[in-house]
Amino acid sequence: MSFLNPDIDAGFDIAGAAAVFQTHGHVRLAGVLPPARAETLAQTVDTLGDWVLAYGASQGVGRVAPQDIPAWPEDTRKAFNQTLIDSARRGEGFAYFARPLDAAAGDLPAPLAELRSGVMEPAVLDLVARLTGVSGVTGVDTSATQFRPGHYLTRHTDSPRGQGRRLAFVWGLTRNWHPDWGGLLQFYQPDGTPNLAFTPGFNTLDLFSVDKVHAVTYVAPFAGAPRSAVSGWYLGG
């Protein structure tokens, strides 16, 4: 069974989507995976354990098991939260749940292991190259993610030096999201003016240039579900 929807060439305007990418540096396709595979992946992410809280602030980045935080001394918890708030107020940092899908992550549920290998299949890399012009991919760095109420990812680009990132991707696994809940994939002009924005989707694939300024907007306290996805970067020399 192919990783991708077998009707992708017949069901999608690949040339049109490639033109969108050339204009905006971003493109979204819906229905890229076979429906049963998308459903299984979504159920797997929604029931994952062993999440870590990935966080970043002006003092640096880190990961912590969320179940450990309540056991911290009260002063430590308050200082940690205040550091995140102060940095986010300045437009720095992030906080969300992540589960790396690499060899060091230990045993993965089969659907996620299949996705990690599937995104490197020749048919997938060929589609990516036709859509974006990015070829010569040699690896992938990817994680399952969940943004829950209070989570966010402030404005940034995905092109730090020395990491070999060629292209960013998000495989959306979020059902029935309301845009008032936040969690939008928001793009910006270089001066910070908001540009394109995309509601979390189900069985969607977002591809975008690593030099695009973007964010995941703050997820509201009243959000009715997690924002689930598998996201990461294609790597190359």
Side-chain angles (χ1 to χ4, degrees), residues 35-184:
R37 170 164 283 151
E39 182 63 34
T40 298
L41 275 168
Q43 291 176 4
T44 301
V45 172
D46 285 346
T47 57
L48 266 181
D50 299 329
W51 291 108
V52 298
L53 176 67
Y55 66 88
S58 54
Q59 290 87 340
V61 301
R63 294 172 182 259
V64 62
Q67 64 269 23
D68 291 346
I69 295 175
W72 292 357
E74 183 178 359
D75 288 350
T76 302
R77 291 199 311 272
K78 287 182 176 179
F80 176 74
N81 290 331
Q82 193 62 50
T83 296
L84 294 181
I85 290 169
D86 291 344
S87 293
R89 185 179 292 120
R90 295 189 296 270
E92 301 173 352
F94 54 87
Y96 59 87
F97 283 178
R99 172 77 180 275
L101 306 185
D102 56 23
D107 293 336
L108 292 174
L112 288 174
E114 290 170 1
L115 183 145
R116 190 182 187 284
S117 60
V119 297
M120 289 294 290
E121 281 186 357
V124 177
L125 296 181
D126 176 68
L127 174 66
V128 167
R130 286 188 288 156
L131 288 168
T132 69
V134 173
S135 59
V137 169
T138 58
V140 66
D141 180 356
T142 186
S143 298
T145 62
Q146 275 198 343
F147 284 71
R148 300 185 183 184
H151 288 170
Y152 59 93
L153 176 62
T154 59
R155 269 186 304 142
H156 66 289
T157 68
D158 284 347
S159 54
R161 293 180 180 178
Q163 297 196 15
R165 295 174 180 172
R166 300 284 308 283
L167 186 72
F169 59 80
V170 180
W171 296 83
L173 300 170
T174 305
R175 305 177 188 83
N176 303 319
W177 189 264
H178 195 293
D180 287 345
W181 295 351
L184 306 180

